[in-house]
Amino acid sequence: MQATNVVRLQQKCCYNTEVMNLARQIEQYLPPQLLELVKGISGQAAERGERVYLVGGIVRDLLLGYPNFDFDLVVEGDAVKLAQQVAETTKAKLLSHRRFGTAKLRYENFTLDMATARRETYAQPGALPTVTPGTLKDDLIRRDFSINAMAISLTSNDYGELIDPYQGASNLDCRLIRILHPGSFRDDATRIIRGVRYEQRYGFEFEAQTARLLERDIPMLDTISGDRIRHELELIFEEKQPEFAIKRLGELGMLPRISPFLKSDGWLAEKFDRTRRLKKPSQLPLLYFCLLVYSSDEKEIEQFLARLNISAKLSRAMRDMLRLKTRLPLLDKSALKPSEIYYMLREYDPVAIQANAIASDSPIVHHHLQLFLTKLRYVRPSLDGEELKGLGISAGPEMGKVLQTLHKAKLDGEVRTRADEKKLALSLKTLNFNTDP
Ligand code: CTP
């Protein structure tokens, strides 16, 4: 990702954040509609005696000059009540969770997340934290890395002031990823995977002690549920070049903690790159998942599906992918007719076919699979059952046979027009009458 409009950080690694005011940068960074809205929210909060802050990833990316459309606000007060009030005055759709003190306001072009500032304590490693209301500082110290533990005040008396109690901006300037306390990865080992994602996205390094603790705590990944691990992989698969993070997880010995047979190599990186050149962004994550396990056998894939609690849809695609992989030699013949290709592939999930097309190194196989996906699977005869009845073909097995022959002929380009199809159907009818006992 290219950094644009980089905010100049004044002193390398050690400037005084207490005096940093980002009012001008906020005005440039936030879309005007959103800017007006957050100012309105902060005004309503002030009337209630509450304070509102922009927090987390958006503050980090504002300082870096990277685009970010995740708008997170923390309220020192009651975020749910404030969000209800804002939803009424700004006609937003509201989704709130009183138990967690969170609310989502949905507008036409964007959403806004609001949360009550909170304190978190972990009863045991890997468990979800116990949450109680707290101050902004409590809310920042519970976070994963210093670069994600900054806030910007939106309250009028100190509007734009950067609140950075843990030297996040300084670490950002030094391109360092640093946890906030030694127990951080033990509290929540998903942070190990998150850290790698940020390291690779921004080209940062882990600060020395963080790197040591990260290596020490890698086994803690075993305490994380399949759903949470899968979610982290999904986030990696939303990155521009997820192969970097996957490779790094491999280097750090984390992949076998996720599933024992997983590995990352040059093959995977090349196939991820090929996937991006072939497919739209919305289709990439499922294909990345499939390619990640492409070299595995049935038992290993079943283990992966169970560990990560993979959805029924993706499970089906992965199982189909493996079945089809064993049949690829049948497709590696240049003389195949389109109808033969069609009947070999029609039972398989399109994602499974696409994954094999990307994975296969044979240009012939690749061509046949792509031909099926882009063309053959959509081919249908123009004549329907009613029209065939009109030609004197009776419903039932006879019609089934005629329709299949028409379909094959159309796939193979032997009939092109409706007239061609009628002619063929009539000839088949004659043939049937002639062969009837
Ligand atoms: N967070 C955390 N520990 C986690 C997950 C999230 O401390 N395991 C905090 C971080 O402060 C993070 C914020 O919650 O900044 C929001 O999380 P998320 O939306 O996942 O990340 P972003 O910071 O918005 O970063 P990005 O989406 O770019 O990865």
Side-chain angles (χ1 to χ4, degrees):
M1 200 186 273
Q2 282 296 312
T4 53
N5 185 27
V6 177
V7 175
R8 294 265 160 247
L9 299 175
Q10 293 130 9
Q11 283 170 265
K12 209 148 179 47
C13 299
C14 54
Y15 59 92
N16 181 359
T17 55
E18 279 168 32
V19 295
M20 195 159 183
N21 190 291
L22 297 165
R24 191 173 49 82
Q25 285 85 351
I26 302 176
E27 310 276 320
Q28 287 168 0
Y29 187 79
L30 294 187
Q33 205 188 352
L34 186 73
L35 187 65
E36 199 184 318
L37 179 68
V38 291
K39 283 183 174 171
I41 294 177
S42 143
Q44 292 194 29
E47 284 166 21
R48 296 166 48 84
E50 298 175 339
R51 297 179 61 90
V52 179
Y53 305 86
L54 207 52
V55 285
I58 192 155
V59 178
R60 172 197 72 219
D61 285 340
L62 181 146
L63 285 166
L64 284 171
Y66 278 63
N68 186 324
F69 301 101
D70 275 346
F71 306 115
D72 286 320
L73 298 181
V74 158
V75 182
E76 277 183 326
D78 186 337
V80 172
K81 272 209 183 121
L82 179 61
Q84 278 164 350
Q85 199 177 312
V86 174
E88 276 165 29
T89 50
T90 58
K91 303 213 168 22
K93 279 208 183 110
L94 173 73
L95 188 74
S96 58
H97 297 282
R98 165 127 316 277
R99 202 157 78 84
F100 300 113
T102 59
K104 191 182 274 296
L105 291 169
R106 198 178 290 283
Y107 294 89
E108 210 176 314
N109 302 325
F110 56 86
T111 57
L112 195 74
D113 285 303
M114 291 171 64
T116 300
R118 63 207 236 186
R119 252 170 69 83
E120 278 182 359
T121 42
Y122 289 83
Q124 73 213 39
L128 289 174
T130 310
V131 174
T132 44
T135 62
L136 175 72
K137 213 169 164 201
D138 293 327
D139 198 283
L140 295 179
I141 189 74
R142 74 179 175 87
R143 290 173 184 257
D144 49 3
F145 304 108
S146 66
I147 59 170
N148 285 343
M150 294 180 275
I152 298 175
S153 170
L154 297 172
T155 307
S156 58
N157 65 343
D158 56 1
Y159 178 78
E161 192 172 298
L162 180 71
I163 295 113
D164 179 19
Y166 311 107
Q167 291 75 51
S170 173
N171 289 156
L172 208 54
D173 196 32
C174 298
R175 312 175 72 77
L176 285 179
I177 298 170
R178 184 174 60 79
I179 46 175
L180 303 183
H181 60 90
S184 183
F185 292 133
R186 292 199 159 171
D187 283 348
D188 176 1
T190 63
R191 290 174 175 168
I192 298 176
I193 308 179
R194 290 174 65 84
V196 168
R197 182 159 58 87
Y198 294 125
E199 178 202 44
Q200 296 303 310
R201 179 197 293 171
Y202 297 117
F204 284 10
E205 279 177 23
F206 287 107
E207 166 272 339
Q209 204 205 352
T210 301
R212 271 196 301 281
L213 293 170
L214 182 142
E215 292 214 23
R216 183 198 71 182
D217 290 339
I218 285 173
M220 299 306 288
L221 283 171
D222 295 351
T223 63
I224 302 296
S225 72
D227 284 330
R228 296 188 71 209
I229 297 263
R230 190 192 63 249
H231 181 61
E232 292 306 323
L233 284 181
E234 286 163 353
L235 292 176
I236 288 180
F237 291 154
E238 283 171 21
E239 294 291 313
K240 285 213 160 162
Q241 290 177 293
E243 56 272 30
F244 293 156
I246 297 291
K247 179 165 178 261
R248 186 77 169 118
L249 294 181
E251 285 167 2
L252 289 163
M254 288 187 213
L255 287 179
R257 293 270 163 202
I258 295 175
S259 208
F261 62 91
L262 286 186
K263 54 182 183 298
S264 77
D265 50 23
W267 182 89
L268 194 68
E270 187 215 317
K271 298 305 175 191
F272 273 25
D273 185 52
R274 192 176 192 191
T275 309
R276 281 192 294 280
R277 281 186 273 120
L278 278 175
K279 301 308 291 179
K280 290 191 217 128
S282 63
Q283 296 165 314
L284 295 178
L286 288 187
L287 287 167
Y288 288 146
F289 264 114
C290 285
L291 291 166
L292 186 66
V293 298
Y294 191 79
S295 313
S296 316
D297 63 26
E298 196 183 332
K299 205 171 131 214
E300 291 167 340
I301 290 195
E302 289 306 321
Q303 211 179 342
F304 181 84
L305 297 178
R307 167 70 174 115
L308 269 67
N309 195 20
I310 299 282
S311 70
K313 180 177 153 61
L314 182 54
S315 299
R316 179 179 138 81
M318 286 185 179
R319 290 182 181 124
D320 268 13
M321 175 182 77
L322 197 64
R323 274 198 308 129
L324 177 57
K325 185 179 154 188
T326 62
R327 304 199 72 209
L328 291 185
L330 298 173
L331 285 150
D332 203 2
K333 295 175 193 151
S334 48
L336 287 177
K337 283 188 189 178
S339 60
E340 291 175 307
I341 300 170
Y342 176 86
Y343 282 99
M344 260 189 247
L345 294 177
R346 67 177 174 160
E347 302 294 343
Y348 294 99
D349 186 296
V351 174
I353 300 176
Q354 186 67 71
N356 274 288
I358 293 163
S360 169
D361 291 323
S362 154
I364 299 173
V365 169
H366 180 82
H367 172 71
H368 287 158
L369 296 176
Q370 285 298 358
L371 184 68
F372 175 86
L373 287 172
T374 56
K375 218 170 132 193
L376 303 183
R377 67 174 160 147
Y378 302 113
V379 172
R380 296 279 174 274
S382 310
L383 300 185
D384 61 17
E386 282 308 306
E387 285 167 293
L388 291 177
K389 269 194 217 161
L391 295 176
I393 293 162
S394 47
E398 186 194 13
M399 184 166 302
K401 259 192 213 162
V402 172
L403 277 169
Q404 195 183 37
T405 309
L406 286 179
H407 187 212
K408 277 190 182 162
K410 190 150 186 192
L411 284 164
D412 293 337
E414 291 161 2
V415 294
R416 294 186 190 282
T417 62
R418 291 173 67 81
D420 290 345
E421 285 189 30
K422 271 189 189 166
K423 210 165 130 194
L424 178 61
L426 287 170
S427 75
L428 291 168
K429 188 177 97 174
T430 318
L431 207 66
N432 274 348
F433 285 145
N434 289 346
T435 53
D436 272 350

